[in-house]
Amino acid sequence: MDAPAAIELRGVGRRYGERWALDDVSVSVPAGATLVVFGPNGAGKSTLLRVLATLLRPHGGEARVLGEPLPEREWAVRGRVGLLAHEALLYRDLSARENLRFHARLHKVAEPRVDELLEQMRLAGRADDPVRTLSRGLLQRVAVCRAVLHDPPLLLLDEPRANLDPAAAELIEPLIGRASGRTRVVTSHDPAGGLAEADYALGLRDGRVALSAPAGDVAPAQVEELYR
Amino acid sequence: MRPSIALLRKDLLLERRAPEAIPAMLLFSVTTFVLFHFGLGRDEVAGQLAAGVLTVTLLFAAILGINRLFVAEQEEGGFDGVLLAPIDRTALFVAKAAGLFLFLALVELVAVAAFAILLLGPSPWPGLPGLVLVLALLNVALAVVGALVSALAIRTRARDLIVPIVALPLLTPALIAAARATAPLFDAAGASGPPTKWLAVLALYDLVFGLLAYAVFDFLLED
């Protein structure tokens, strides 16, 4: 891991009220690498992604994302991050095309990119339907389009293949998979699948680091242990 | 300015696609005028009473719109999408205030006509240009304070309670100035225009709260 770090966390903490959702989390992710975060529900995975996305401020420790310290220069990180969260971050009464055009304007992305992504995700036929009429799988594909619309160097992916059938999972691969060449932080509950796409594995339990190692050094059984 | 326009276009499109705020504000205004009609036991009102009925009704109708201002962002997760964009967050304030201003203007087109038919004694026509000016200044006040309070309230669980509790006291000076400026326009004797003093108070209120909201809005959105 000699490449410059895209993410550098040292003792980062984040609390909700009195409860620490993240506590003393340290990890370094080189540019272009994939960090897969494992952990049971409530372990702090989504909170970690939201801190990295600048949507939550860290309450302790030092955080650097894409070379910028948080929260001091969080504005310099916005627009360079693609977040695929549990919620699609789409307006349900607007169509996929309208949602993506709206985000394209905010990110100063040329509109042809919207049509290109809709074609690539095989959504052109449903692109003008309100997103509230789309299935969970189709909605997830639109959300993937939104996350990569502005070609961000860092992708934060919260269980990106949830709700997708195998064909759709294959479809999104060039955009958010390893082949995209982007730095990725991916949360997963699938030890074997997660480790297969990871360069580095991070296990969280109750907001604290329970496992942190290069993925090649981690056996699926060690990940499964996090859930017991 | 471009992000504000994109955000405003999106809000207008959402309201056109699934009308919520405008029909609610409109229905509330007309219903309130009907209630005043029967509650006051009078067929006609004029002067200060007419000005008070109109401005207070518009203020309460605006509260409904203010309550809904950020709901689409919150309920549909769009808020995070906007916060992740590389835009000045005050663009969101400008868009929300402009949207509320337009919603209020549309509501007033019908509500003022309904008020004139249901309650107003003197003819509204001589004072109409002055009334348009007063309502425009009042709308700026409602839009600016509304966008600010709505952004504050949306992060709380008690959104529906916070908006009236915070907005109504803040808007009291604007309401007083608007009612005083409107009263001569509804006099039976008629007036050529609204008093300059109260117009100036309203304009000053808009300026002060506009600058204040612009300065603090960014902090309201911080987690």
Side-chain angles (χ1 to χ4, degrees), chain A residues 14 50 57 91-92 98, chain B residues 17 73 76 80 223:
Chain A
R14 166 73 204 194
R50 290 179 67 79
R57 292 184 158 199
Y91 297 96
R92 47 192 225 101
E98 287 166 341
Chain B
R17 195 67 50 80
E73 322 294 337
E76 300 171 25
D80 286 347
D223 110 82

Side-chain angles (χ1 to χ4, degrees), chain A residues 134-177:
Chain A
L134 302 182
S135 67
R136 288 291 302 164
L138 288 177
L139 194 63
Q140 184 75 347
R141 277 149 70 178
V142 182
V144 168
C145 294
R146 180 198 48 71
V148 301
L149 186 65
H150 50 298
D151 201 14
L154 173 62
L155 283 177
L156 306 171
L157 310 170
D158 207 348
E159 298 177 54
R161 291 170 194 86
N163 308 309
L164 293 178
D165 60 42
E170 205 172 303
L171 204 58
I172 64 169
E173 204 54 26
L175 291 176
I176 63 167

Side-chain angles (χ1 to χ4, degrees), chain B residues 175-198:
Chain B
L175 177 84
I176 294 169
R180 294 293 170 92
T182 310
L185 305 174
F186 292 158
D187 265 341
S192 55
T196 313
K197 181 179 84 173
W198 291 110

